[in-house]
Amino acid sequence: MSILGTLLLVLPIFIKAQPSSGPAFNIVPLGVKGGLDESNLSAYMIAPAGTNTYICADAGTIGYGIEQAIRRKSFRGAPAKVLKEYIKGYLVSHAHLDHVAGLVLNSPEDTAKNIYAFPYVINTLKEKYFTWESWANFANEGEKPILNKYKYITLSEGTEISLDNTGMSMKPFVLSHSYPYESAAFLIRNKEHYLLYLGDTGADAVEHSQKMLTLWQAVAPLIRSNQLRAIFIEVSFPNDQPDKQLFGHLTPHWLMQEMDVLQNLCGAGPLKNVNIVITHIKPPVWKAKLIRTELQAANKLGLNLVFPVQGKKMFF
């Protein structure tokens, strides 16, 4: 066969392999549930596709989640290698225990890395967790003696910063998590592609806020341009949970209300191309099943709903 003929055979494979048409992110959920089950709490390792340079969005469960990921063949090697070498830093949406317990408990065995968070989160870590009365101060600020393992990186809303040693950057947004308490969303960028991770949040109508609207206005252009690959967003309770007892969380009803707002901003077609990853579903099992059923019944927009599994790698 001629050289030209060989090139013609190879060319279609080369085109399919271009990054713009393939996955932009690897995601390994170390924990997917909300509250109660200490072995499976919110923590999502996120890296550019084809790499092991992960940022961990929230850190409720770390050690056991890594073991589950190895069992599912999402990682090879020892758990210590994943903890120490693959996780390059932590994004902490808020300082509730089910989002930071894994970070605190695994800190003696961890390596030096950054903790990215808003000031109110860092203050809680400094004053409540990384103290010598409750644990030990593995960070670079706070109660002495300071062990200087972790470095606090203070975030400013809407300001994009690089995530060290990952090849990615991130822009943070403030969320309302049972007013006046606040949480955070992280818009993570890998070159021209984006992934949006939300910590715990209530709907604007319930929280009497416009924080979700501000977030949707920021990401709508990325959805229209097909640059946003996925939205990780919580649904903690089924629809029968009274609004006064949501405590800054979403139900299937309120999620779909927020998706209606987002669709009005970006259009129906582009939104269907975004993976909507449902996080923070609270036990017991029968309530988790009910939430899934209610989400699927309420999905009039035809959204691509994704239910993550602890330790099972995803590609977006």
Side-chain angles (χ1 to χ4, degrees):
M1 182 180 291
S2 69
I3 294 176
L4 178 59
T6 302
L7 288 173
L8 289 173
L9 287 175
V10 173
L11 184 57
I13 299 174
F14 176 76
I15 292 173
K16 289 181 180 179
Q18 291 301 299
S20 60
S21 61
F25 297 95
N26 302 333
I27 300 96
V28 181
L30 301 184
V32 302
K33 295 182 181 180
L36 299 182
D37 184 355
E38 63 265 31
S39 69
N40 196 357
L41 300 173
S42 296
Y44 294 85
M45 291 175 63
I46 301 165
T51 76
N52 284 322
T53 56
Y54 288 88
I55 196 76
C56 196
D58 281 330
T61 295
I62 298 294
Y64 185 76
I66 290 173
E67 292 176 3
Q68 290 297 99
I70 291 172
R71 291 191 187 103
R72 291 184 177 274
K73 303 188 186 304
S74 296
F75 295 122
R76 295 179 181 178
K81 182 180 180 68
V82 178
L83 172 66
K84 294 179 179 182
E85 298 182 20
Y86 292 179
I87 298 177
K88 304 298 185 181
Y90 299 94
L91 299 173
V92 181
S93 67
H94 62 297
H96 282 165
L97 266 174
D98 58 334
H99 292 257
V100 300
L103 167 60
V104 175
L105 290 173
N106 285 275
S107 55
E109 301 301 319
D110 207 351
T111 49
K113 53 195 64 166
N114 294 339
I115 296 175
Y116 304 87
F118 282 121
Y120 52 85
V121 178
I122 291 174
N123 287 340
T124 302
L125 290 173
K126 285 195 298 186
E127 297 172 5
K128 306 298 182 182
Y129 299 127
F130 286 132
T131 74
W132 289 95
E133 288 188 358
S134 63
W135 195 241
N137 186 8
F138 287 96
N140 65 323
E141 300 176 20
E143 187 177 327
K144 296 179 179 179
I146 292 171
L147 299 181
N148 275 309
K149 179 176 286 188
Y150 296 129
K151 180 180 179 181
Y152 293 125
I153 305 296
T154 302
L155 302 178
S156 177
E157 184 170 24
T159 300
E160 185 173 23
I161 63 170
S162 295
L163 300 173
D164 290 353
N165 305 310
T166 69
M168 300 182 294
S169 59
M170 182 276 303
K171 182 183 293 186
F173 295 84
V174 176
L175 300 176
S176 182
H177 181 32
S178 190
Y179 180 83
Y181 193 77
E182 293 179 332
S183 179
F186 305 116
L187 182 61
I188 300 169
R189 180 169 66 86
N190 174 25
K191 298 178 181 177
E192 73 272 24
H193 299 293
Y194 293 81
L195 181 149
L196 178 64
Y197 174 87
L198 286 79
D200 295 356
T201 185
D204 277 352
V206 178
E207 296 290 307
H208 306 291
S209 164
Q210 289 194 321
K211 289 183 170 60
M212 293 288 276
L213 177 61
T214 298
L215 179 62
W216 299 147
Q217 289 171 334
V219 302
L222 301 176
I223 296 174
R224 289 195 296 268
S225 60
N226 290 315
Q227 292 177 273
L228 185 65
R229 294 298 183 94
I231 298 173
F232 285 66
I233 187 167
E234 67 121 287
V235 179
S236 295
F237 297 108
N239 287 330
D240 62 1
Q241 186 83 357
D243 288 352
K244 291 183 179 180
Q245 296 178 22
L246 288 178
F247 309 114
H249 293 293
L250 295 172
T251 63
H253 165 76
W254 285 116
L255 172 67
M256 292 305 170
Q257 290 290 312
E258 291 294 341
M259 291 296 100
D260 283 339
V261 174
L262 181 55
Q263 178 178 271
N264 288 336
L265 293 169
C266 68
L271 188 55
K272 291 181 180 180
N273 297 328
V274 180
N275 298 285
I276 309 298
V277 183
I278 306 301
T279 68
H280 207 267
I281 293 178
K282 287 179 176 287
V285 172
W286 70 266
K287 282 192 176 182
K289 291 181 178 179
L290 178 58
I291 288 171
R292 284 193 181 212
T293 299
E294 290 177 342
L295 281 169
Q296 290 161 350
N299 187 17
K300 308 303 183 184
L301 301 179
L303 303 175
N304 183 31
L305 301 178
V306 179
F307 298 91
V309 175
Q310 184 182 39
K312 186 174 182 180
K313 185 178 283 189
M314 303 183 290
F315 303 91
F316 295 130

